[in-house]
Amino acid sequence: MPSSYAVMSEEEMTYVEGGGWSTYKGMEAIMGITAMIGCSAAFMGISKSIVASMVATAATGIGLLATIALAGGLSLSLAISAYQGTLALAAAVNMVNSYSKTKSFNKSGYKACSYGIWTFSVFTQVASL
């Protein structure tokens, strides 16, 4: 071993975190909705790249299996994008409903469950407060 080295635990080497419910209120709730919209847009970008790959694969004649695999990836990324967009809408509806009850922007919000991979978060559920 070198004279200076860092000791890392197993948790420090794990890249996926989250899975718990968090409460978002006020401006943090708005930022959470924009994160959901951003996630949806990111998966739409992935879908666009997959379509370009499908066209290139078909044009070069690499094969039907590669095109079918890319089509599966396209279906998955479009489904994730639609789901994230739906969660953003659900969060916005919960925010409005919460505001109508509390009449306070800082007390209105929603609960959401998300997983983070490095700096990229994917939301899985949204619920009212």
Side-chain angles (χ1 to χ4, degrees), residues 16-77:
V16 178
E17 55 188 51
W21 286 89
S22 298
T23 300
Y24 298 88
K25 291 183 180 179
M27 189 52 75
E28 185 180 33
I30 299 297
M31 290 173 19
I33 291 171
T34 58
M36 290 177 208
I37 293 169
C39 185
S40 178
F43 277 100
M44 284 303 284
I46 292 170
S47 299
K48 181 181 173 190
S49 298
I50 291 173
V51 168
S53 297
M54 287 173 67
V55 170
T57 300
T60 59
I62 289 177
L64 182 61
L65 289 177
T67 305
I68 291 171
L70 288 168
L74 174 65
S75 300
L76 180 62
S77 65

Side-chain angles (χ1 to χ4, degrees), residues 99-122:
Y99 179 79
S100 67
K101 293 176 185 173
T102 63
K103 302 295 185 213
S104 169
F105 175 74
N106 291 328
K107 292 181 181 178
S108 58
Y110 55 90
K111 294 187 292 187
C113 183
S114 67
Y115 290 88
I117 303 171
W118 289 300
T119 60
F120 189 73
S121 291
V122 176

